[in-house]
Amino acid sequence: MGELLGEEFGKIHPKLRMFADGSTDVNSVRAELCSSVAVASSIHDESRPILRGEEPRSATRAEFPTKPATPPLEELPRGVLVDVFVETLSEASPLPRFARGAARRGSLLALTVPIDRLPELAADPSVTRVELGEPIAAPTPDVGDPCGVASPDASMRRFGSVREHRDGEGILIGIIDVQGFDFSHADFLDDGRTRFVRIWDQGGDRRPTPRAANPERFSSAFDFGAEFRKEHLDEAIEAASDLGLPATEIEEQSTRIPGSHGTHVASIAAGNRGVCRRAMIAGVTIALPTEESDRRTSLYDSTRLALAVEYLLGVADELSEELGRKVPISINISLGTNGHAHDGSTSLSRWIDSVLAVPGRCVTVAAGNAGQERATSPSDVGFVMGRIHTSGRVPGRFHQVDLEWSVVGNGIVDVSENEFELWYSEQDRFAISLRPPGVDASGRRHDWIGPIEPREFLQNHQLPDGSLVSIYNELYHPANGSNYAAIYLSPFFGREAIIGTASGEWTVRIHGRDVRDGRFHAWLERDDPRRVGRVGAREAWRFPSFFGESTHVDECSVGSLACGRRVIAVANLHESDRRVHITSSQGPTRDGRAKPDIAAPGTDIVAANGFSMSDSEWIAMTGTSMAAPFVAGVIGLMLAIEPRLTAAQIEGILHRTSQPLPGAPYQWTNDAGFGRIDPEAAFAEARTVNDRTERRIS
């Protein structure tokens, strides 16, 4: 594979190299399961979806006299597109000419490239690193029954002096989410018109793209999706009664899920019964297709979040020109990523931190719902989503540490890429071994794979059952200088059979080769449980693997996006119980910083029931997804009071003015951050930040 990718093989992220080592057929199937891989429409039309119907069948080792073959590639696969972040030497570096669309933030590029052009990209002397976009975790709030849910009291989320902050009038609230925005819901109407000024539907085609609508403001990176402008939405609302159709069917988005997550989040932050209830609203819908076949040609990863942020900033600038004054913006992201080092060094985190260097901008991120450590009842399996982190110390040279990694079976075929990342000090040198579960044909435990020494890798190594293992052990990651090892457990995708990842306890062994510090952290990339079809007589699922109870360490589970240095990471406060909800993710970051920042109400939160098929306009949901927009709305009101606030100042004010939970100190805690948000105190402090009056002490 090094020969195919060229001399600059090491510039390319291991996961991307592993994908490049798969055939077009394999990557066509992988595109159904991986958010940052898509197949061109011509390939999609020619190849059949492999995860449906009665063929191909699931297979076991006993059915094969020899393991199914994975022949070496003679050339890189064609017709496969990948979303990548590209690190360049400078912000003046030219864009690769073959990129389908590119956006730039300093020396970072976000772009889509054909996988067979990776050698050309890596050979570019101005390129220092090519990293695959991270998967976006689908939101998984607990959703209540909408029947009988009363509308929120009009004063429930109203704070401070309306005369002072004008309920956020003149502020833009940006919402990046999924499942569409019900712009005609009563919670967003003002005198019969919607308060949404823009919706960019990244998966849509019913309106021109942002670039087509405004080529002077948006580059070729924004030449996809559909942009709905306020005039379109208002015209649809006006025509709805005459046509006897909902306005959302007249201006139709690509996804309109009843109980829409994005609609609920927007309602909390800026609905008429929300926090910032006179603000303008702009939404970006990330294209998370509901149909598996659509996922093959769709891209919905962390590069798309970067583009969403840039789009919302462009909308704020456009509104500033129209209104003749600067429009501050508070952006909420109730979505998450879980890969990388959880230290704020991901490409997306660095991208957003760069955005937040300008006053009048802030980004709020849900901390995540991976906080549950153990079952609370015999039927409770919530811990499966929580055991994503472990940490420890290798005592010294020649010492070993074993970690238990559980892959679920129970009659299903796990067709997801199970991913393990280990991060450790640049001072140390560790080797990595892996032992599959179960026994071999002779009844003995499977042999160890490895050890893989520093700067070594094993790529798409086929196990006796036909499934695949890849292990990489790299030094001095360019984003943070730390060392890291990655392990991928991959299914075998054949035209005649699919072999899922073996279920049971896998064991990862860390060998101390040269130990000066010894500390390590590891995370599992979390798959959200999702049925993807049938393979013969068995169900095929994406299913989360998790650390065994003796290995799991109940901290540092905040999503990697929420670990950014200047974003506000929000925990879920169970307000009636006066405690943090059991599922709320915990800090700190790998480098010891205080995330989450703050806790806000996120349990049983009643807000707009988008695209409802019932008579109920309201629905209750629980999760950090509901807590984050509450804070985004409060920040919008802070910016209405003082538009010159920086993200750093907003962070400091929220830390200073928060209130500790019962029995907790004022100091930061790993579940609640600095405590419960106090909007009134935050407003009072915001008034004083840029007060230049000085008092002389004689």
Side-chain angles (χ1 to χ4, degrees):
M1 182 46 52
E3 310 83 58
L4 292 179
L5 290 178
E7 295 180 1
E8 302 296 340
F9 179 70
K11 287 184 180 179
I12 299 173
H13 186 269
K15 191 172 184 179
L16 189 51
R17 291 175 354 217
M18 183 182 76
F19 287 3
D21 201 18
S23 67
T24 299
D25 281 344
V26 167
N27 280 310
S28 180
V29 180
R30 181 173 273 139
E32 295 184 34
L33 309 169
C34 180
S35 59
S36 50
V37 179
V39 294
S41 57
S42 59
I43 301 293
H44 176 260
D45 294 339
E46 293 172 5
S47 60
R48 61 188 173 87
I50 206 165
L51 295 179
R52 267 165 302 287
E54 293 302 315
E55 293 289 344
R57 59 196 172 89
S58 61
T60 64
R61 172 72 181 87
E63 296 181 66
F64 291 97
T66 58
K67 65 185 178 185
T70 55
L73 293 180
E74 296 182 0
E75 62 178 18
L76 291 173
R78 296 182 181 276
V80 178
L81 303 174
V82 289
D83 270 351
V84 294
F85 285 107
V86 176
E87 184 83 52
T88 61
L89 289 174
S90 75
E91 58 187 48
S93 300
L95 297 175
R97 60 182 176 81
F98 54 82
R100 195 172 74 173
R104 186 193 297 274
R105 173 63 56 175
S107 62
L108 268 176
L109 302 176
L111 60 140
T112 303
V113 297
I115 204 168
D116 60 311
R117 307 302 289 271
L118 286 176
E120 187 177 341
L121 184 61
D124 188 325
S126 67
V127 171
T128 61
R129 181 74 172 172
V130 183
E131 191 156 321
L132 193 68
E134 293 182 71
I136 297 172
T140 54
D142 290 334
V143 180
D145 185 347
C147 295
V149 175
S151 63
D153 184 272
S155 63
M156 181 182 294
R157 290 189 278 260
R158 172 165 276 174
F159 306 101
S161 166
V162 176
R163 178 178 298 177
E164 184 179 40
H165 57 56
R166 305 177 309 282
D167 280 335
E169 184 178 359
I171 301 299
L172 180 63
I173 297 292
I175 306 293
I176 303 173
D177 221 290
V178 294
Q179 301 181 351
F181 296 100
D182 188 348
F183 60 87
S184 62
H185 190 284
D187 206 34
F188 305 116
L189 297 182
D190 180 15
D191 196 23
R193 298 178 180 273
T194 185
R195 290 176 41 232
F196 274 89
V197 295
R198 300 285 188 280
I199 296 174
W200 180 24
D201 177 9
Q202 290 192 348
D205 58 6
R206 297 303 180 95
R207 281 284 177 182
T209 69
R211 175 174 170 78
N214 196 341
E216 295 182 358
R217 190 171 303 278
F218 295 111
S219 71
S220 61
F222 300 89
D223 209 7
F224 69 97
E227 182 187 49
F228 299 89
R229 301 173 73 87
K230 179 172 169 54
E231 55 267 29
H232 305 147
L233 307 179
D234 284 338
E235 288 170 3
I237 293 171
E238 186 175 353
S241 58
D242 292 338
L243 296 175
L245 292 172
T248 53
E249 290 189 14
I250 299 172
E251 289 292 349
E252 188 177 359
Q253 300 163 63
S254 63
T255 176
R256 294 172 297 141
I257 306 299
S260 157
H261 188 270
T263 300
H264 197 268
V265 165
S267 174
I268 296 167
N272 295 336
R273 286 175 169 79
V275 179
C276 205
R277 53 186 68 185
R278 292 188 62 81
M280 298 171 284
I281 309 170
V284 180
T285 301
I286 302 297
L288 191 63
T290 55
E291 296 296 327
E292 298 301 326
S293 57
D294 293 338
R295 291 177 186 260
R296 306 178 84 197
T297 55
S298 300
L299 293 161
Y300 44 99
D301 57 90
S302 58
T303 67
R304 301 299 162 120
L305 287 179
L307 294 179
V309 170
E310 292 294 333
Y311 171 77
L312 292 172
L313 296 179
V315 172
D317 289 343
E318 186 177 353
L319 293 171
S320 297
E321 293 173 6
E322 291 176 5
L323 298 174
R325 57 173 175 76
K326 183 70 174 176
V327 173
I329 182 170
S330 174
I331 297 174
N332 183 80
I333 307 176
S334 284
L335 304 170
T337 57
N338 203 50
H340 214 270
H342 291 70
D343 60 2
S345 65
T346 69
S347 296
L348 179 58
S349 288
R350 289 185 290 132
W351 190 293
I352 293 177
D353 282 342
S354 175
V355 163
L356 296 180
V358 177
R361 299 174 177 175
C362 196
V363 174
T364 307
V365 179
N369 302 319
Q372 186 170 344
E373 179 182 11
R374 58 179 60 88
T376 58
S377 68
S379 60
D380 181 13
V381 293
F383 69 89
V384 169
M385 304 302 290
R387 292 187 192 162
I388 62 169
H389 169 257
T390 189
S391 60
R393 185 187 292 270
V394 178
R397 192 178 183 189
F398 305 124
H399 286 260
Q400 300 172 348
V401 174
D402 286 354
L403 306 174
E404 295 178 356
W405 181 10
S406 298
V407 175
V408 177
N410 291 337
I412 67 172
V413 181
D414 185 357
V415 293
S416 58
E417 303 269 2
N418 292 279
E419 180 179 343
F420 166 102
E421 285 191 15
L422 177 81
W423 293 84
Y424 62 102
S425 170
E426 63 278 1
Q427 292 183 296
D428 295 327
R429 296 294 180 267
F430 295 163
I432 306 297
S433 296
L434 178 69
R435 193 173 206 172
V439 296
D440 60 22
S442 65
R444 295 180 303 174
R445 283 208 64 185
H446 285 296
D447 291 334
W448 288 94
I449 302 168
I452 308 301
E453 303 292 339
R455 287 206 169 100
E456 290 184 349
F457 70 94
L458 182 70
Q459 188 161 283
N460 287 333
H461 169 74
Q462 199 162 22
L463 299 177
D465 68 358
S467 63
L468 306 168
V469 166
S470 299
I471 306 175
Y472 304 86
N473 194 354
E474 300 207 347
L475 303 180
Y476 307 121
H477 192 283
N480 57 17
S482 297
N483 301 333
Y484 85 107
I487 302 175
Y488 303 96
L489 310 180
S490 304
F492 172 83
F493 296 119
R495 285 208 165 263
E496 301 304 323
I498 292 177
I499 300 173
T501 303
S503 62
E505 293 289 340
W506 296 69
T507 306
V508 179
R509 175 165 289 175
I510 306 172
H511 307 262
R513 296 298 195 231
D514 183 12
V515 180
R516 301 179 183 180
D517 179 272
R519 289 174 294 179
F520 65 85
H521 288 265
W523 287 270
L524 300 178
E525 182 61 73
R526 189 185 71 183
D527 292 318
D528 297 303
R530 180 162 58 83
R531 181 184 182 276
V532 296
R534 295 189 67 82
V535 180
R538 302 174 73 194
E539 295 282 344
W541 282 70
R542 284 178 54 130
F543 207 82
S545 57
F546 53 94
F547 285 119
E549 190 168 5
S550 63
T551 294
H552 168 65
V553 175
D554 191 31
E555 61 179 17
C556 301
S557 56
V558 167
S560 56
L561 177 56
C563 291
R565 281 167 167 73
R566 286 294 171 236
V567 302
I568 307 299
V570 185
N572 172 7
L573 175 65
H574 192 311
E575 197 163 26
S576 62
D577 286 358
R578 304 175 73 193
R579 61 173 177 82
V580 173
H581 196 275
I582 187 174
T583 62
S584 189
S585 293
Q586 301 163 7
T589 64
R590 186 179 75 93
D591 53 338
R593 287 179 297 108
K595 299 292 177 181
D597 293 278
I598 201 164
T603 303
D604 296 326
I605 303 301
V606 176
N609 184 11
F611 311 110
S612 174
M613 305 298 290
S614 69
D615 294 333
S616 177
E617 291 188 297
W618 310 96
I619 192 170
M621 295 188 188
T622 295
T624 56
S625 287
M626 286 61 253
F630 184 98
V631 176
V634 170
I635 291 169
L637 298 180
M638 292 169 65
L639 288 170
I641 293 169
E642 177 45 80
R644 296 170 294 175
L645 290 173
T646 66
Q649 288 175 318
I650 290 169
E651 180 184 36
I653 290 171
L654 293 178
H655 291 179
R656 161 67 181 174
T657 59
S658 62
Q659 296 298 312
L661 298 184
Y666 275 102
Q667 290 77 22
W668 179 86
T669 60
N670 71 351
D671 58 349
F674 286 93
R676 187 200 191 283
I677 188 170
D678 184 339
E680 306 284 354
F683 301 153
E685 204 72 6
R687 286 193 294 269
T688 69
V689 167
N690 290 312
D691 183 356
R692 303 306 180 194
T693 304
E694 296 181 354
R695 292 176 294 169
R696 179 170 180 169
I697 306 300
S698 56

